[in-house]
């Protein structure tokens, strides 16, 4: 179970105007501005849920994921995941989570995928029988047979993403964070990834937290949506709840993307 | 330790993907560091000694510093490229894995290309040892070993110290390069040739003399105080100090980008 209570996080951002003169000036006197990335974020997620975490760019999605996965320490507030504080018991905590960043790779660039997997086996100290069983399962579900022996740098984006997802599940985490897992993928790969995530959730009860800008991902996967904007939770409910909030009148047949755009605009969070 | 070896084998595999570029790099680095040795021997074709140190004494000192620095760069490259790892979010990934951050950092960036300078160091060490009039007994051989390992630890500590700054500013600083590259340059000569001020700085602030000057005196038979041979051990305190600073920085980590 995940509980977050009143979590706040702020960053200091250096500001200066364009130009060489301004750049030199900032050497001596830096103007910094405090940016409140998260203010009083609270929510609870039960085991086995699939939650879509959405919001416009810069809303604080990544910051939340980073706090939940133990990379960042919040300024204030409490966060408990399966009875642990992520940033205090980092090593214990990360054994139980898997994280996929759609825009960054966790595989070794120049060596075959299977070698990366072997390394992860050692990093997570996965017992050999468990590893073999899981690898077999993942290979079959994600159709990796063909590509396991290829170096990561030679994979297409879709192939790589399938390997990334497999890599983050080798140690059988109870909790999976997906940060834009379908970014840049073609229709076939997208569907394959979605199907797989659904299956993982149904068969192993893996809790999934998903951030994305692709509303079809949310429609296909998440039974619950948390909408954040400017560091605040604005809505926490089902996709239908969100539709109702957005469609207070006007166009009822709007596409999901249109809907979200309206929602962002109405709430004035862009 | 087992994991560290696995990391290195992964790097070996990656390197084999680019064989030609690897060989060129090793040869290039070898030539760079070897030219320093040539410069030193040219210098001594004009002088016979500097402040009472002969050519072979200096050569010994030079090779010890070269060796320490080469080994430290080989192991500690992770610290040196740390700021770019932070910028590209690679350090986030390290934090997501259930192993010590330092082990992963060093393992992921083990630098094979440093066998070039290492080769130079070994060659000069052999020449230095053969030319010196030192009576090699067990004590002296161990002292030499202490000097090299102490020096490696000292450079590693400094690399770690430099990397820690990235936690506070996300930018690398040239400050530690002054301390490491500078010391590698100046460490060719026993530190007392630079005078008292530098001596003090290199004893109490950055403990270079403990791995170079004092044990060297013992090695060259300029003193009978065998305690000098044990001085390199005190570098461990410096290492701990730097490690403390690293831990402090880690708590201040801010990550960056999306």
């Amino acid at each position: 179970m995940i509980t977050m209570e009143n979590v706040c996080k702020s960053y200091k951002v250096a500001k200066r105007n364009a130009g060489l003169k301004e750049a030199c000036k900032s050497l001596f006197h830096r103007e910094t501005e405090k940016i409140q990335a998260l203010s009083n974020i609270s929510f609870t997620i039960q085991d086995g849920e699939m939650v879509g975490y959405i919001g416009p760019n810069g809303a604080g999605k990544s910051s939340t994921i980073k706090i939940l996965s133990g990379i960042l320490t919040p300024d204030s507030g409490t966060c408990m995941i399966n009875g642990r504080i992520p940033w205090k018991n980092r090593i214990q905590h990360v054994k139980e989570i898997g994280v996929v960043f759609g825009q960054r790779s966790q595989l070794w660039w120049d060596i075959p995928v299977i070698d990366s997997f072997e390394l992860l086996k050692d990093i997570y100290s996965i017992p050999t029988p468990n590893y073999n069983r899981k690898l077999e399962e993942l290979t079959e579900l994600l159709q990796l047979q063909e590509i396991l022996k290829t170096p990561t740098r030679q994979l297409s984006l879709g192939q790589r993403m399938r390997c990334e997802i497999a890599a983050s599940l080798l140690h059988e985490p109870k909790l999976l964070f997906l940060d834009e897992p379908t970014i840049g993928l073609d229709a076939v790969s997208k569907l394959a990834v979605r199907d797989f995530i659904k299956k993982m959730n149904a068969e192993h009860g893996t809790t999934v937290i998903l951030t994305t800008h692709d509303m079809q991902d949310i429609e296909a996967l998440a039974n619950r949506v948390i909408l954040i904007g400017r560091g605040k939770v604005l809505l926490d409910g089902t996709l239908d709840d969100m539709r109702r909030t957005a469609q207070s009148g006007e166009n009822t047949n709007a596409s999901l993307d249109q809907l979200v755009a309206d929602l962002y605009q109405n709430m004035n969070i862009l | 330790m087992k994991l560290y070896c696995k990391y290195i084998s992964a790097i070996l595999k990656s390197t084999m993907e680019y064989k030609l570029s690897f060989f060129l790099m090793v040869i290039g680095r070898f030539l760079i560091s070897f030219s320093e040795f040539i410069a030193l021997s040219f210098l001594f074709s004009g002088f016979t000694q500097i402040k009472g140190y002969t050519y072979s004494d200096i050569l010994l000192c030079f090779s010890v510093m070269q060796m320490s620095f080469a080994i430290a760069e080989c192991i500690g490259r992770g610290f040196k490229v740390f700021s770019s790892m932070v910028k590209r979010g690679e350090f986030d990934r390290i934090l997501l894995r259930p192993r010590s951050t330092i082990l992963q950092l060093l393992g992921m960036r083990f630098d094979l290309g440093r066998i070039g300078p290492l080769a130079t160091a070994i060659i000069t060490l052999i020449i230095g040892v053969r030319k010196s009039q030192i009576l090699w007994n067990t004590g002296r051989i161990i002292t030499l070993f202490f000097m090299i390992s102490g020096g490696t630890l000292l450079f590693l500590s400094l690399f770690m110290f430099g990397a820690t700054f990235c936690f506070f500013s996300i930018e690398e600083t040239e400050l530690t390069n002054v301390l490491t590259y500078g010391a590698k340059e100046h460490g060719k000569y026993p530190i007392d040739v630079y005078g008292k001020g530098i001596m003090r700085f290199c004893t109490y602030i950055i403990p270079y003399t403990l791995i170079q000057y004092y044990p060297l005196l013992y090695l060259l038979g300029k003193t009978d105080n065998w305690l000098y041979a044990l001085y390199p051990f005190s570098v461990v305190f410096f290492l701990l100090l730097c490690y403390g600073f690293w831990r402090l920085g880690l708590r201040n980590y801010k990550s960056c980008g999306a």
Side-chain angles (χ1 to χ4, degrees):
Chain A
M1 196 172 86
I2 302 171
T3 46
M4 262 193 133
E5 260 170 58
N6 301 319
V7 170
C8 299
K9 178 81 192 171
S10 61
Y11 299 104
K12 256 192 204 154
V13 179
K15 288 246 156 151
R16 68 173 156 82
N17 296 326
L20 188 63
K21 198 179 141 211
E22 289 292 321
C24 294
K25 226 161 85 187
S26 75
L27 259 181
F28 303 102
H29 178 73
R30 262 256 203 113
E31 274 178 41
T32 54
E33 193 181 11
K34 211 171 165 192
I35 291 202
Q36 196 71 29
L38 299 176
S39 45
N40 289 316
I41 297 276
S42 307
F43 54 76
T44 310
I45 293 172
Q46 300 296 335
D47 287 342
E49 272 194 274
M50 285 218 269
V51 179
Y53 198 61
I54 62 170
N57 294 333
K61 297 191 297 295
S62 290
S63 298
T64 314
I65 297 281
K66 280 176 184 166
I67 287 171
L68 286 173
S69 54
I71 295 175
L72 286 181
T73 312
D75 299 340
S76 64
T78 56
C79 172
M80 283 288 232
I81 297 180
N82 299 329
R84 289 198 193 92
I85 300 172
W87 59 93
K88 289 221 168 115
N89 310 332
R90 184 182 72 82
I91 293 197
Q92 279 306 312
H93 173 66
V94 296
K95 275 185 187 163
E96 294 185 357
I97 63 169
V99 186
V100 177
F101 289 115
Q103 319 226 42
R104 287 175 192 165
S105 179
Q106 62 165 320
L107 302 165
W108 276 254
W109 198 240
D110 288 317
I111 58 176
V113 177
I114 188 73
D115 280 339
S116 288
F117 286 2
E118 297 274 339
L119 258 167
L120 287 170
K121 170 180 180 273
D122 287 307
I123 291 174
Y124 285 98
S125 329
I126 310 170
T128 311
N130 295 25
Y131 170 77
N132 288 339
R133 184 163 40 79
K134 195 73 197 175
L135 183 63
E136 204 177 307
E137 184 194 333
L138 290 169
T139 311
E140 201 187 304
L141 285 175
L142 288 164
Q143 290 158 0
L144 303 176
Q145 299 91 336
E146 309 282 300
I147 50 179
L148 276 180
K149 288 180 183 147
T150 319
T152 310
R153 66 168 193 277
Q154 285 166 346
L155 296 177
S156 74
L157 190 59
Q159 290 172 328
R160 208 189 80 206
M161 192 49 68
R162 271 155 40 209
C163 294
E164 296 279 348
I165 291 173
S168 61
L169 287 168
L170 283 171
H171 58 289
E172 309 186 301
K174 293 176 193 155
L175 180 58
L176 182 62
F177 295 104
L178 300 167
D179 195 359
E180 307 190 24
T182 56
I183 195 163
L185 298 191
D186 63 42
V188 180
S189 305
K190 254 187 208 174
L191 290 177
V193 166
R194 281 183 201 146
D195 273 350
F196 174 76
I197 297 170
K198 248 191 225 162
K199 251 185 218 154
M200 268 334 274
N201 175 262
E203 281 172 25
H204 299 277
T206 316
T207 312
V208 179
I209 297 179
L210 170 85
T211 78
T212 183
H213 292 294
D214 187 332
M215 291 316 294
Q216 279 150 355
D217 281 352
I218 299 286
E219 198 170 26
L221 292 173
N223 13 46
R224 178 175 163 199
V225 181
I226 297 175
L227 170 71
I228 80 162
R230 298 208 173 161
K232 292 195 180 87
V233 175
L234 299 174
L235 195 141
D236 185 350
T238 61
L239 203 57
D240 284 332
D241 289 339
M242 204 175 84
R243 280 208 179 91
R244 240 167 279 142
T245 318
Q247 281 169 350
S248 43
E250 308 123 61
N251 45 349
T252 28
N253 300 331
S255 73
L256 212 47
D257 277 329
Q258 187 62 49
L259 203 96
V260 173
D262 288 347
L263 199 61
Y264 288 173
Q265 239 139 39
N266 292 346
M267 290 182 163
N268 197 21
I269 53 175
L270 282 172
Chain B
M1 205 58 213
K2 189 180 149 226
L3 182 64
Y4 189 66
C5 296
K6 293 272 166 127
Y7 271 125
I8 293 173
S9 87
I11 287 169
L12 261 172
K13 284 179 205 157
S14 312
T15 310
M16 289 309 130
E17 296 275 316
Y18 309 100
K19 290 186 199 84
L20 182 66
S21 110
F22 175 69
F23 285 124
L24 289 178
M25 178 175 72
V26 170
I27 292 169
R29 290 216 179 125
F30 174 78
L31 288 178
I32 292 172
S33 58
F34 201 72
S35 68
E36 285 177 33
F37 164 64
I38 307 264
L40 194 71
S41 52
F42 272 135
L43 183 70
F44 271 88
S45 61
F47 300 91
T48 46
Q49 57 173 34
I50 293 177
K51 261 211 171 174
Y53 295 99
T54 62
Y55 175 49
S56 65
D57 296 346
I58 304 278
L59 211 54
L60 206 59
C61 187
F62 168 73
S63 59
V64 165
M65 285 305 255
Q66 280 265 325
M67 182 97 74
S68 311
F69 194 73
I71 300 174
E73 274 204 312
C74 198
I75 302 172
R77 177 138 175 92
F79 288 132
K80 292 182 70 190
V81 295
F82 187 64
S83 76
S84 70
M85 289 181 87
V86 168
K87 279 181 207 155
R88 272 181 288 156
E90 279 175 72
F91 191 64
D92 288 0
R93 189 45 76 180
I94 284 179
L95 285 173
L96 288 175
R97 290 180 174 150
R99 290 298 182 127
S100 124
T101 47
I102 291 185
L103 172 76
Q104 293 186 68
L105 186 63
L106 299 188
M108 283 172 81
R109 280 289 184 277
F110 184 84
D111 191 3
L112 275 176
R114 296 290 155 185
I115 54 179
L118 209 56
T120 313
I122 291 169
I123 293 170
T124 46
L125 187 64
I126 291 170
I127 300 175
V129 166
R130 290 183 70 181
K131 281 204 172 179
S132 69
Q133 277 90 48
I134 298 171
L135 287 171
W136 290 99
N137 53 25
T138 332
R140 293 225 158 93
I141 294 172
I142 292 177
T143 308
L144 191 66
F145 178 72
F146 283 168
M147 284 171 81
I148 294 172
S149 38
T152 308
L153 281 185
L154 180 59
F155 283 121
L156 278 176
S157 316
L158 285 170
F159 290 151
M160 178 153 68
F161 183 72
T164 307
F165 279 108
C166 301
F167 288 126
F168 300 103
S169 68
I170 314 254
E171 261 311 317
E172 53 202 312
T173 54
E174 285 292 315
L175 182 71
T176 47
N177 285 352
V178 174
L179 296 178
T180 53
Y181 285 102
K184 186 195 133 211
E185 274 309 303
H186 297 295
K188 284 177 197 167
Y189 309 101
I191 289 168
D192 67 330
V193 305
Y194 300 109
K196 279 237 166 70
I198 302 278
M199 266 289 269
R200 282 207 195 96
F201 179 80
C202 292
T203 307
Y204 300 110
I205 315 278
I206 313 289
Y208 279 118
T209 55
L210 303 182
I211 54 122
Q212 195 229 32
Y213 175 65
Y214 291 111
L216 191 73
L217 286 187
Y218 176 75
L219 206 60
L220 299 175
K222 290 184 191 269
T223 171
D224 285 329
N225 190 350
W226 60 272
L227 272 175
Y228 281 4
L230 300 179
Y231 274 24
F233 274 103
S234 43
V235 170
V236 173
F237 293 108
F238 189 69
L239 181 67
L240 287 176
L241 210 68
C242 293
Y243 181 66
F245 186 47
W246 168 267
R247 295 297 301 228
L248 187 79
L250 200 55
R251 253 187 282 157
N252 203 46
Y253 180 59
K254 289 200 182 62
S255 183
C256 67

